[in-house]
Amino acid sequence: MVYICLILLYCLLAFSINLKYGNEVSFSSGVFILLSLFFLALIVARPSYFPDYKNYFSFYAGDAGERFEPAAKIIKKISPSFYIFLLFFGICGFCVKMVAIKQNTIYHNLVLFTYLSTTFILHDLIQIRASCAIAIFLFSLKYLIQKNYAKYYLLIFVSTLFHYSAVLFLFVPILCMSNKISVKFWILIILFSYVLYFLHLDFISLAMIIIPKNTYIFQTLNFFAGKRVNVFNVGQILKIIIFLYFLFHNEELDEVGLLSLKLLGTSVVLFPLLASISVLSFRVSELFGSSIIFLLPELLNKNDSKKYYLMVFVSFEVGLFFINNIICGYIF
């Protein structure tokens, strides 16, 4: 039933995009509330065979939990049932993303369609702690663009309470030091990251040379190291294609789009640099690549050949949905 409802809404969004030819569609507050309630119901009613479901159920039941962050422990304490526990995570994750969409773009339907095509199932139905951290980060982009660093860093602190990996967002303001983007610099740094990968000089390998072997950090890295990821997997190749397209058309992007492009570039670069630990490589890449939901709709921000770009956009999004959810086994 969850899958059927999700696919029906997905088709409805695709129809609305075609009906409006990709023009601005801003949802009213009422529509936002209805959509949020609908998705919260899906989040709470997720199938029990989903990855991580048993881990969270065991954590709530008190069988595990030392590795969980403070926010999860607080939510557990105030939740009278496991379903309320999931509901709180849904509010902190999906609903905060909806607010971020409302404040960062005028293309609400396009961004939501992109989110459903990319990481909704992975984040809001599986990796719910990471979903909350990413949601708060996306919400904080407004303050980062406004250079209100106090509010930005406060929100990032809150996001780390949901997932410790969000501490990496502390370095994102470096990307805002310039309002421009250098095509040559980003192409060279991507090539350089792959050269280091083939030379086995990625960050983790170098860190394990420097860190003393008898330390906890070394033991942890050594435990996860060994299984290198395929740095030319379909997801990474698609990210590179998307990044290069918008890199060569960056003059058409607004402030949110330009920052999203830089974040996507960072995601592409870090993936091979952390390749010796697959879990870390994918997680960090997902964190920085999360803002792609604001970037892809920029494809329709054109006055010429709008129908053509609309066809490309919808086809590409459906392809992403198929790759991210069906090939990965989250649906069917």
Side-chain angles (χ1 to χ4, degrees), residues 10 22 50 70 88 113 145 224 238 259 270 323 325:
Y10 186 78
F50 259 42
F88 275 125
F113 187 64
I145 292 172
F224 287 104
L238 285 175
L259 178 55
L270 290 177
I323 292 170
N325 300 310

Side-chain angles (χ1 to χ4, degrees), residues 22-251:
N23 291 321
E24 170 191 342
V25 174
S26 298
F27 295 147
S28 65
S29 297
V31 172
F32 264 101
I33 292 172
L34 287 175
L35 284 171
S36 296
L37 291 174
F38 175 82
F39 280 104
L40 284 176
L42 293 184
I43 289 169
V44 173
R46 76 190 67 191
S48 60
Y49 56 80
F50 259 42
D52 281 356
Y53 184 95
K54 290 183 179 179
N55 292 336
Y56 284 104
F57 186 82
S58 297
F59 167 68
Y60 182 80
D63 299 331
E66 291 303 320
R67 66 184 183 86
F68 283 79
E69 292 82 358
K73 295 177 181 178
I74 293 172
I75 292 175
K76 173 186 172 181
K77 287 184 178 180
I78 64 175
S79 301
S81 72
F82 180 62
Y83 292 110
I84 300 298
F85 175 79
L86 294 178
L87 179 63
F88 275 125
F89 269 103
I91 294 171
C92 295
F94 185 81
C95 291
V96 173
K97 287 191 188 80
M98 291 292 280
V99 175
I101 290 172
K102 190 172 180 64
Q103 74 175 13
N104 286 323
T105 181
I106 57 175
Y107 297 100
H108 298 160
N109 61 338
L110 301 180
V111 175
L112 182 58
F113 187 64
T114 302
Y115 182 60
L116 295 181
S117 299
T118 51
T119 57
F120 168 73
I121 291 181
L122 176 62
H123 287 162
D124 289 283
L125 298 185
I126 301 175
Q127 300 173 355
I128 57 178
R129 284 149 48 231
S131 173
C132 293
I134 289 171
I136 296 169
F137 169 65
L138 295 177
F139 178 74
S140 73
L141 292 182
K142 172 184 177 180
Y143 302 107
L144 182 57
I145 292 172
Q146 295 174 350
K147 300 191 183 304
N148 189 336
Y149 296 116
K151 288 185 178 180
Y152 174 77
Y153 283 120
L154 177 62
L155 287 169
I156 297 307
F157 169 75
V158 174
S159 71
T160 60
L161 298 179
F162 283 94
H163 207 285
Y164 292 136
S165 60
V167 70
L168 295 172
F169 291 141
L170 293 173
F171 302 99
V172 172
I174 296 173
L175 300 176
C176 298
M177 294 176 64
S178 172
N179 293 326
K180 298 181 180 179
I181 187 168
S182 171
V183 175
K184 292 181 180 178
F185 170 80
W186 280 99
I187 291 178
L188 287 174
I189 198 172
I190 290 174
L191 291 174
F192 184 64
S193 69
Y194 274 90
V195 169
L196 290 180
Y197 167 80
F198 286 115
L199 293 175
H200 296 280
L201 295 174
D202 56 86
F203 284 166
I204 304 301
S205 299
L206 292 174
M208 293 182 69
I209 294 174
I210 300 171
I211 299 171
K213 293 185 178 181
N214 60 342
T215 61
Y216 173 77
I217 296 176
F218 179 88
Q219 297 298 328
T220 302
L221 292 176
N222 188 56
F223 176 79
F224 287 104
K227 186 178 180 181
R228 296 170 70 85
V229 300
N230 175 16
V231 295
F232 295 104
N233 63 65
V234 175
Q236 177 73 349
I237 294 300
L238 285 175
K239 282 184 179 180
I240 292 174
I241 292 172
I242 295 168
F243 176 75
L244 291 177
Y245 173 83
F246 284 105
L247 182 65
F248 287 103
H249 297 84
N250 68 84
E251 66 280 351

